[in-house]
Amino acid sequence: MSRNAFPFQAARRACSPTRRQVELREPIMSMSLSGDGTTKVITVSGEIDMSNAHLLVELVEFLSDPPAPNVALDLSTVTHFGAHGISALLRAQELVISSGGRLRVSAVSPFVLYILGVTGMTPHLGIDVAPSRPGTVPAAGPPVVAPASLPGWHGGGGRPAPRRPLDTLAPPGPPAASG
């Protein structure tokens, strides 16, 4: 058979990177584990998102074997934190508590504190320890509150403003005289 008999193979070869083209990228998240007596300290750096939050849960699950584990999380160098990060923290806490241990968040970055404060998760996670590094926010810092009125929301009752068809909206100003 000729070399061009299977054109998809040629296309695959053209798209496949060679060894020289492959660049190593920095990971978006890194974790380190250290021991401080009976407490295991997990330090997380970078982004905690949907692609890697499960890794934090898996590490905590590994550490949750009896006897009652004490686990501390240092989130002082986390740069991105969203719903999957919150879910991972709650799952990690559940695992440690079910083993008879205690999970505490020892330090948080300002970004993480903001997200946890806005979502109301700080009391659920027992964030109560002063920062271990300069530039971090103490976990027992002031609560973070969302603005009282958000654009597009009416009354602050948690419901969006009622929608009306565009033809029923009148331009601002005095009503037009009829007659």
Side-chain angles (χ1 to χ4, degrees):
M1 290 197 139
S2 73
R3 184 175 173 116
N4 294 332
F6 298 105
F8 65 89
Q9 289 179 338
R12 186 176 350 157
R13 276 193 300 271
C15 293
S16 299
T18 64
R19 234 172 214 223
R20 289 184 202 166
Q21 293 173 334
V22 175
E23 292 181 28
L24 296 177
R25 297 181 189 167
E26 283 193 37
I28 61 172
M29 180 183 78
S30 64
M31 295 186 295
S32 64
L33 176 65
S34 60
D36 180 16
T38 60
T39 302
K40 302 294 183 194
V41 180
I42 300 172
T43 303
V44 185
S45 299
E47 302 176 7
I48 301 176
D49 62 13
M50 64 188 265
S51 70
N52 58 22
H54 68 282
L55 298 173
L56 176 59
V57 174
E58 290 172 11
L59 180 56
V60 171
E61 185 175 20
F62 175 77
L63 297 174
S64 294
D65 291 333
N70 288 317
V71 179
L73 293 174
D74 180 351
L75 306 176
S76 61
T77 55
V78 171
T79 58
H80 175 81
F81 189 80
H84 286 85
I86 294 169
S87 179
L89 289 182
L90 293 173
R91 177 70 181 130
Q93 182 180 42
E94 179 183 307
L95 288 167
V96 172
I97 289 174
S98 68
S99 297
R102 180 171 183 249
L103 176 83
R104 66 185 175 96
V105 180
S106 61
V108 295
S109 67
F111 183 77
V112 173
L113 183 64
Y114 176 78
I115 297 297
L116 292 175
V118 167
T119 57
M121 290 290 111
T122 50
H124 298 288
L125 294 169
I127 298 180
D128 60 357
V129 179
S132 59
R133 291 190 177 95
T136 61
V137 176
V144 180
V145 180
S149 63
L150 298 173
W153 289 83
H154 177 69
R159 289 184 242 166
R163 293 183 177 217
R164 295 183 286 169
L166 291 176
D167 59 348
T168 63
L169 297 175
S178 60

